[in-house]
Amino acid sequence: MTVIHKIKLKISNCYLVEGDKKILVDTGSPGEGTTIISNLKKIGVELSDISIILHTHGHSDHCGSTTELIKKHKIPTAIHSADSHMTVNGKNDFLKTTRLIAKFIKPFVDKPFPAFKSDIFIDEYTDLESFGIKGIIHSTKGHTNGSISLEFDNREAIIGDVMMGGYMGGEFFPYLPDYHYFADDIKEIDQSISKILSFNAEIFYVGHGGPINRKQIEKRFKKSSSR
Ligand SMILES: [Zn+2]
Ligand SMILES: [Zn+2]
């Protein structure tokens, strides 16, 4: 059975996923490579044990330390093809805000990051089996075009920035789901939220705060989609 370890970084989370192999999902903001490595060590995992780095999407707070990590140890990296240009440029696409407060948060998160070119491009329903993990990759766009979610065999999922848990990077009420501060297309976000609720999962790990359970998501999003 798959085991997910949450690694809390400055403003975002990354995840070690253990199955037949070990994969890293996301790498936080620039300059967090050492923190990630020391957190892996605490779990008893070396960077050289990681078979692939998967990115939930192409933003600087999720791809920021990939270059630092792969310089220390050569690990293949993967991202959805629709987001790969951001990692090649080391720059987020324009961040469209979902509400007023996001405009104040934007300068703190919208930073350039060390660029890299991914080795593997992910398409919808790619099986995670080839990465040694029992699970499926789904396209869950809306936050960005290339946003993906990972559904595992243990009734848990990693959904990136489809939504966020709590406020201010999950510092407050991390278990409470809400719309993310930024979204390219809010209608697609609503479709992606319906999609993740169709997963056989009870626990949803997010890019900020969390984890969030199914009941909380249904309570927040099912009846109304008011922001
Ligand atoms: Zn993001
Ligand atoms: Zn994020």
Side-chain angles (χ1 to χ4, degrees):
M1 191 92 85
T2 307
V3 179
I4 299 172
H5 303 268
K6 173 177 159 179
I7 299 174
K8 191 180 180 310
L9 300 167
K10 254 179 262 151
I11 63 162
S12 58
N13 304 316
C14 71
Y15 295 95
L16 169 73
V17 181
E18 292 187 283
D20 291 338
K21 290 182 186 171
K22 294 169 178 52
I23 66 170
L24 185 66
V25 179
D26 290 342
T27 64
S29 302
E32 299 197 290
T34 313
T35 310
I36 293 170
I37 292 168
S38 68
N39 275 278
L40 289 176
K41 281 211 169 100
K42 273 187 219 156
I43 307 164
V45 173
E46 297 292 328
L47 193 58
S48 55
D49 298 330
I50 304 293
S51 63
I52 192 164
I53 300 174
L54 284 184
H55 299 97
T56 58
H57 62 293
H59 281 162
S60 58
D61 52 338
H62 298 259
C63 302
S65 292
T66 303
T67 300
E68 187 185 336
L69 292 175
I70 60 177
K71 267 189 188 157
K72 287 197 164 85
H73 191 87
K74 182 89 192 90
I75 305 166
T77 61
I79 194 161
H80 193 285
S81 51
D83 271 18
S84 66
H85 63 280
M86 287 189 255
T87 77
V88 172
N89 299 333
K91 194 175 172 299
N92 296 334
D93 283 348
F94 179 76
L95 293 178
K96 206 168 153 189
T97 54
T98 56
R99 50 200 182 281
L100 188 62
I101 188 177
K103 288 197 170 43
F104 299 100
I105 289 162
K106 194 166 156 174
F108 298 100
V109 298
D110 196 10
K111 292 184 174 156
F113 60 99
F116 64 94
K117 222 174 156 193
S118 284
D119 305 293
I120 298 163
F121 297 110
I122 298 158
D123 296 316
E124 184 156 24
Y125 299 115
T126 307
D127 205 318
L128 281 166
E129 195 76 51
S130 51
F131 305 127
I133 301 291
K134 288 190 173 62
I136 304 165
I137 300 172
H138 300 271
S139 159
T140 47
K141 60 183 174 182
H143 180 68
T144 63
N145 237 339
S147 289
I148 57 156
S149 292
L150 313 171
E151 179 189 6
F152 302 104
D153 67 335
N154 63 348
R155 307 202 73 185
E156 296 182 345
I158 296 176
I159 60 170
D161 283 357
V162 169
M163 63 185 71
M164 58 180 193
Y167 303 92
M168 307 307 285
E171 289 302 322
F172 307 104
F173 310 108
Y175 53 89
L176 280 184
D178 205 346
Y179 285 102
H180 197 284
Y181 294 129
F182 310 105
D184 281 356
D185 188 326
I186 204 79
K187 272 206 188 92
E188 285 179 353
I189 285 286
D190 285 334
Q191 286 162 4
S192 289
I193 290 170
S194 301
K195 196 172 197 175
I196 62 130
L197 284 172
S198 75
F199 296 175
N200 183 25
E202 289 298 324
I203 305 288
F204 298 83
Y205 291 93
V206 283
H208 306 268
I212 304 168
N213 71 41
R214 170 178 287 274
K215 279 206 177 80
Q216 294 281 8
I217 296 174
E218 285 173 348
K219 202 171 142 198
R220 171 65 183 85
F221 295 107
K222 260 214 159 160
K223 278 170 206 148
S224 81
S225 55
S226 63
R227 261 161 275 147

